[in-house]
Amino acid sequence: MATYTLPELPYDYAALEPVINPQIIELHHDKHHAAYVKGANDTLEQLEEARDKEAWGAINGLQKNLAFHLSGHILHSIYWHNMTGDGGGEPLAADGVGDLADAIAESFGSYAGFKSQLTKAAATTQGSGWGVLAYEPVSGRLIVEQVYDHQGNVGQGSVPILVFDAWEHAFYLQYKNQKVDFIEAIWRVVNWQDVARRYAAAKERADVLLLAP
């Protein structure tokens, strides 16, 4: 049975300066993300043991742990690729991301409206969580989700294509308690090429994500 592994960063620790300093990238990836990978694998082992022994007293906690750690692993894996040192700006047709730009305008009225909503969703998440742009396959539109921890408060079936990490470990060493400043800065490193690829892939898979037409 395959286990989860920590993916390599697509750039070096200093690639996102000055938006995110190298120390944060190193700790965030090598320690925090690695912990979610280990947590998911450990929980799978514990569930296997529970099945072997027919011992289900801890099933609720184990299922919650699996959702927490696995979602943390998945969201972080997207997060690293959603950023690039030469990113930022507005997605434009001239840059080859016209379909994404059109979908944002159609779903949110304008790029400015979308940017404002995702910024507020990420910056005001209570406690720890994420702001997420997701493709919703039932309507075929893009939606913004405010994710608590890594897995709560999400629409079933939605596919994350752009994620902003609003956990304190993502910014505190550099931005202290100014989460809003960090979220505003993230827009300067958004990798719209990656987001556009994820949007295109999500649309292609829409027919198999739904249980019924």
PDB file of all heavy atoms in Angstrom, residues 82-97:
ATOM      1  N   ASN A  82       1.441  27.062  -6.103  1.00  0.00           N
ATOM      2  CA  ASN A  82       0.643  28.258  -6.377  1.00  0.00           C
ATOM      3  C   ASN A  82       1.467  29.542  -6.327  1.00  0.00           C
ATOM      4  O   ASN A  82       0.952  30.611  -6.638  1.00  0.00           O
ATOM      5  CB  ASN A  82      -0.493  28.393  -5.356  1.00  0.00           C
ATOM      6  CG  ASN A  82      -1.752  27.641  -5.726  1.00  0.00           C
ATOM      7  OD1 ASN A  82      -2.656  27.543  -4.894  1.00  0.00           O
ATOM      8  ND2 ASN A  82      -1.848  27.109  -6.926  1.00  0.00           N
ATOM      9  N   MET A  83       2.732  29.428  -5.921  1.00  0.00           N
ATOM     10  CA  MET A  83       3.566  30.618  -5.762  1.00  0.00           C
ATOM     11  C   MET A  83       4.821  30.512  -6.619  1.00  0.00           C
ATOM     12  O   MET A  83       5.338  29.432  -6.876  1.00  0.00           O
ATOM     13  CB  MET A  83       3.956  30.806  -4.292  1.00  0.00           C
ATOM     14  CG  MET A  83       2.784  31.033  -3.368  1.00  0.00           C
ATOM     15  SD  MET A  83       3.267  31.332  -1.640  1.00  0.00           S
ATOM     16  CE  MET A  83       3.922  29.719  -1.176  1.00  0.00           C
ATOM     17  N   THR A  84       5.313  31.669  -7.063  1.00  0.00           N
ATOM     18  CA  THR A  84       6.550  31.743  -7.833  1.00  0.00           C
ATOM     19  C   THR A  84       7.167  33.115  -7.624  1.00  0.00           C
ATOM     20  O   THR A  84       6.440  34.104  -7.408  1.00  0.00           O
ATOM     21  CB  THR A  84       6.300  31.504  -9.337  1.00  0.00           C
ATOM     22  OG1 THR A  84       7.532  31.626 -10.041  1.00  0.00           O
ATOM     23  CG2 THR A  84       5.296  32.484  -9.905  1.00  0.00           C
ATOM     24  N   GLY A  85       8.473  33.176  -7.690  1.00  0.00           N
ATOM     25  CA  GLY A  85       9.155  34.431  -7.452  1.00  0.00           C
ATOM     26  C   GLY A  85       8.879  35.488  -8.501  1.00  0.00           C
ATOM     27  O   GLY A  85       9.037  36.685  -8.246  1.00  0.00           O
ATOM     28  N   ASP A  86       8.462  35.088  -9.695  1.00  0.00           N
ATOM     29  CA  ASP A  86       8.154  36.055 -10.752  1.00  0.00           C
ATOM     30  C   ASP A  86       6.652  36.087 -11.054  1.00  0.00           C
ATOM     31  O   ASP A  86       6.237  36.332 -12.180  1.00  0.00           O
ATOM     32  CB  ASP A  86       8.953  35.751 -12.022  1.00  0.00           C
ATOM     33  CG  ASP A  86       8.689  34.338 -12.562  1.00  0.00           C
ATOM     34  OD1 ASP A  86       7.928  33.594 -11.919  1.00  0.00           O
ATOM     35  OD2 ASP A  86       9.238  34.008 -13.623  1.00  0.00           O
ATOM     36  N   GLY A  87       5.849  35.837 -10.023  1.00  0.00           N
ATOM     37  CA  GLY A  87       4.394  35.815 -10.196  1.00  0.00           C
ATOM     38  C   GLY A  87       3.744  37.143  -9.848  1.00  0.00           C
ATOM     39  O   GLY A  87       4.364  38.205  -9.890  1.00  0.00           O
ATOM     40  N   GLY A  88       2.475  37.068  -9.509  1.00  0.00           N
ATOM     41  CA  GLY A  88       1.728  38.244  -9.112  1.00  0.00           C
ATOM     42  C   GLY A  88       1.021  38.915 -10.265  1.00  0.00           C
ATOM     43  O   GLY A  88       0.959  38.396 -11.380  1.00  0.00           O
ATOM     44  N   GLY A  89       0.470  40.069  -9.983  1.00  0.00           N
ATOM     45  CA  GLY A  89      -0.302  40.787 -10.980  1.00  0.00           C
ATOM     46  C   GLY A  89      -1.672  40.175 -11.183  1.00  0.00           C
ATOM     47  O   GLY A  89      -2.135  39.351 -10.387  1.00  0.00           O
ATOM     48  N   GLU A  90      -2.338  40.569 -12.264  1.00  0.00           N
ATOM     49  CA  GLU A  90      -3.671  40.074 -12.595  1.00  0.00           C
ATOM     50  C   GLU A  90      -3.582  39.057 -13.724  1.00  0.00           C
ATOM     51  O   GLU A  90      -2.800  39.251 -14.667  1.00  0.00           O
ATOM     52  CB  GLU A  90      -4.556  41.245 -13.020  1.00  0.00           C
ATOM     53  CG  GLU A  90      -5.976  40.868 -13.368  1.00  0.00           C
ATOM     54  CD  GLU A  90      -6.843  42.085 -13.699  1.00  0.00           C
ATOM     55  OE1 GLU A  90      -6.401  43.218 -13.407  1.00  0.00           O
ATOM     56  OE2 GLU A  90      -7.952  41.886 -14.240  1.00  0.00           O
ATOM     57  N   PRO A  91      -4.334  37.952 -13.645  1.00  0.00           N
ATOM     58  CA  PRO A  91      -4.311  36.990 -14.752  1.00  0.00           C
ATOM     59  C   PRO A  91      -4.901  37.610 -16.010  1.00  0.00           C
ATOM     60  O   PRO A  91      -5.993  38.171 -15.979  1.00  0.00           O
ATOM     61  CB  PRO A  91      -5.174  35.835 -14.230  1.00  0.00           C
ATOM     62  CG  PRO A  91      -6.072  36.461 -13.204  1.00  0.00           C
ATOM     63  CD  PRO A  91      -5.264  37.553 -12.569  1.00  0.00           C
ATOM     64  N   LEU A  92      -4.161  37.507 -17.123  1.00  0.00           N
ATOM     65  CA  LEU A  92      -4.564  38.148 -18.366  1.00  0.00           C
ATOM     66  C   LEU A  92      -4.479  37.176 -19.533  1.00  0.00           C
ATOM     67  O   LEU A  92      -3.642  36.261 -19.539  1.00  0.00           O
ATOM     68  CB  LEU A  92      -3.658  39.355 -18.657  1.00  0.00           C
ATOM     69  CG  LEU A  92      -3.639  40.472 -17.621  1.00  0.00           C
ATOM     70  CD1 LEU A  92      -2.541  41.471 -17.954  1.00  0.00           C
ATOM     71  CD2 LEU A  92      -4.995  41.159 -17.535  1.00  0.00           C
ATOM     72  N   ALA A  93      -5.326  37.408 -20.542  1.00  0.00           N
ATOM     73  CA  ALA A  93      -5.296  36.574 -21.737  1.00  0.00           C
ATOM     74  C   ALA A  93      -3.933  36.654 -22.417  1.00  0.00           C
ATOM     75  O   ALA A  93      -3.446  35.675 -22.982  1.00  0.00           O
ATOM     76  CB  ALA A  93      -6.403  37.007 -22.697  1.00  0.00           C
ATOM     77  N   ALA A  94      -3.299  37.807 -22.343  1.00  0.00           N
ATOM     78  CA  ALA A  94      -2.002  37.998 -22.981  1.00  0.00           C
ATOM     79  C   ALA A  94      -0.928  37.084 -22.391  1.00  0.00           C
ATOM     80  O   ALA A  94       0.076  36.797 -23.038  1.00  0.00           O
ATOM     81  CB  ALA A  94      -1.566  39.455 -22.849  1.00  0.00           C
ATOM     82  N   ASP A  95      -1.154  36.620 -21.154  1.00  0.00           N
ATOM     83  CA  ASP A  95      -0.200  35.723 -20.493  1.00  0.00           C
ATOM     84  C   ASP A  95      -0.593  34.263 -20.638  1.00  0.00           C
ATOM     85  O   ASP A  95       0.001  33.387 -20.004  1.00  0.00           O
ATOM     86  CB  ASP A  95      -0.094  36.075 -19.014  1.00  0.00           C
ATOM     87  CG  ASP A  95       0.423  37.490 -18.791  1.00  0.00           C
ATOM     88  OD1 ASP A  95       1.300  37.916 -19.563  1.00  0.00           O
ATOM     89  OD2 ASP A  95      -0.053  38.164 -17.851  1.00  0.00           O
ATOM     90  N   GLY A  96      -1.607  33.989 -21.458  1.00  0.00           N
ATOM     91  CA  GLY A  96      -2.020  32.612 -21.695  1.00  0.00           C
ATOM     92  C   GLY A  96      -2.970  32.048 -20.660  1.00  0.00           C
ATOM     93  O   GLY A  96      -3.167  30.834 -20.621  1.00  0.00           O
ATOM     94  N   VAL A  97      -3.555  32.896 -19.830  1.00  0.00           N
ATOM     95  CA  VAL A  97      -4.479  32.418 -18.786  1.00  0.00           C
ATOM     96  C   VAL A  97      -5.845  33.087 -18.947  1.00  0.00           C
ATOM     97  O   VAL A  97      -6.527  33.394 -17.976  1.00  0.00           O
ATOM     98  CB  VAL A  97      -3.897  32.656 -17.374  1.00  0.00           C
ATOM     99  CG1 VAL A  97      -2.673  31.790 -17.145  1.00  0.00           C
ATOM    100  CG2 VAL A  97      -3.554  34.132 -17.151  1.00  0.00           C
TER     101      VAL A  97
END
